[in-house]
Amino acid sequence: VKIFKINKRSLKASKDTNLQALESSIVEKIGLNVWIKNKKNNSGTLVFEYKDLNQLNKIVEIIKSNY
């Protein structure tokens, strides 16, 4: 008897197309990987991936200059 594994990714709901578009837009503007994780109550997390201190400084400068 062979047991079939259930693919966990297929059970997960796909990401909202608006969030995907927003992620892509941010990636194009700042050149860094970005992930938006939204919960059902519309709270969540925004993740920026940086590879060195210069990229981190760029993120901080963008945030400071706009807010």
Side-chain angles (χ1 to χ4, degrees):
V1 175
K2 188 173 183 179
I3 299 173
F4 294 97
K5 291 184 179 179
I6 297 174
N7 188 354
K8 290 183 181 181
R9 288 183 181 223
S10 65
L11 296 176
K12 242 184 190 180
S14 61
K15 187 177 283 192
D16 182 77
T17 55
N18 292 326
L19 289 179
Q20 288 176 335
L22 184 56
E23 283 179 348
S24 296
S25 172
I26 295 171
V27 167
E28 287 176 16
K29 288 185 189 241
I30 65 171
L32 301 173
N33 289 331
V34 176
W35 293 275
I36 301 172
K37 298 176 186 176
N38 192 36
K39 298 177 186 175
K40 289 182 181 179
N41 64 356
N42 287 327
S43 66
T45 56
L46 177 62
V47 179
F48 294 94
E49 180 183 36
Y50 61 92
K51 303 218 184 283
D52 59 31
L53 193 56
N54 289 334
Q55 290 180 339
L56 175 60
N57 287 334
K58 180 180 178 180
I59 295 168
V60 172
E61 282 215 16
I62 291 169
I63 293 170
K64 283 183 175 181
S65 68
N66 290 297
Y67 298 99

